[in-house]
């Protein structure tokens, strides 16, 4: 079932083919990823199931959905940077 959406990057209206689609094109999706727009919305829709600070950037994260499995990092990008640049104790 298609639904009407607004692209998170360019603001263009489009028909989304799936529920999780937030961008109108592949180019906007890539640009949105670079700008950090692929993070989950922590707008406070409902009561928080758990809250924590991101291990990499220190941002407060509120998890409000049972489907959201984040426990240490606010985004995939922060997790990758954390493991890429972690300190090695000797």
């Amino acid at each position: 079932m298609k639904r009407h959406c607004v692209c998170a990057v360019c603001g263009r209206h489009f028909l989304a083919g799936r529920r999780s689609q937030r961008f109108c094109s592949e180019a906007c999706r890539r640009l949105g990823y670079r700008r950090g727009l692929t993070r989950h919305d922590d707008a406070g829709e409902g009561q928080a199931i758990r809250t924590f600070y991101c291990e990499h950037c220190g941002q407060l994260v509120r998890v409000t959905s049972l489907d959201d499995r984040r426990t240490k990092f606010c985004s995939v990008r922060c997790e990758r940077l954390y493991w890429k640049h972690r300190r090695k104790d000797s």
Side-chain angles (χ1 to χ4, degrees):
M1 180 175 172
K2 298 202 180 239
R3 63 184 180 98
H4 293 280
C5 293
V6 178
C7 180
V9 173
C10 66
R12 187 180 315 156
H13 292 273
F14 69 99
L15 284 175
R18 52 187 189 283
R19 201 168 38 157
S20 62
Q21 188 173 351
R22 296 178 54 208
F23 306 104
C24 64
S25 65
E26 182 70 20
C28 281
R29 186 189 62 78
R30 278 189 250 125
L31 186 59
Y33 180 78
R34 277 185 251 142
R35 289 183 181 171
L37 297 176
T38 56
R39 294 178 179 205
H40 295 276
D41 292 329
D42 295 327
E45 298 175 6
Q47 191 173 5
I49 297 169
R50 63 184 169 275
T51 58
F52 61 91
Y53 288 96
C54 178
E55 296 262 337
H56 179 70
C57 69
Q59 176 184 350
L60 178 65
V61 180
R62 293 182 66 243
V63 177
T64 58
S65 171
L66 292 174
D67 296 332
D68 192 348
R69 297 187 172 208
R70 296 178 293 165
T71 56
K72 286 186 169 187
F73 304 100
C74 62
S75 66
V76 174
R77 181 177 184 270
C78 273
E79 183 176 3
R80 287 183 184 150
L81 289 173
Y82 176 83
W83 290 111
K84 182 177 182 180
H85 299 293
R86 70 179 187 177
R87 294 181 182 159
K88 297 190 179 185
D89 295 329
S90 299

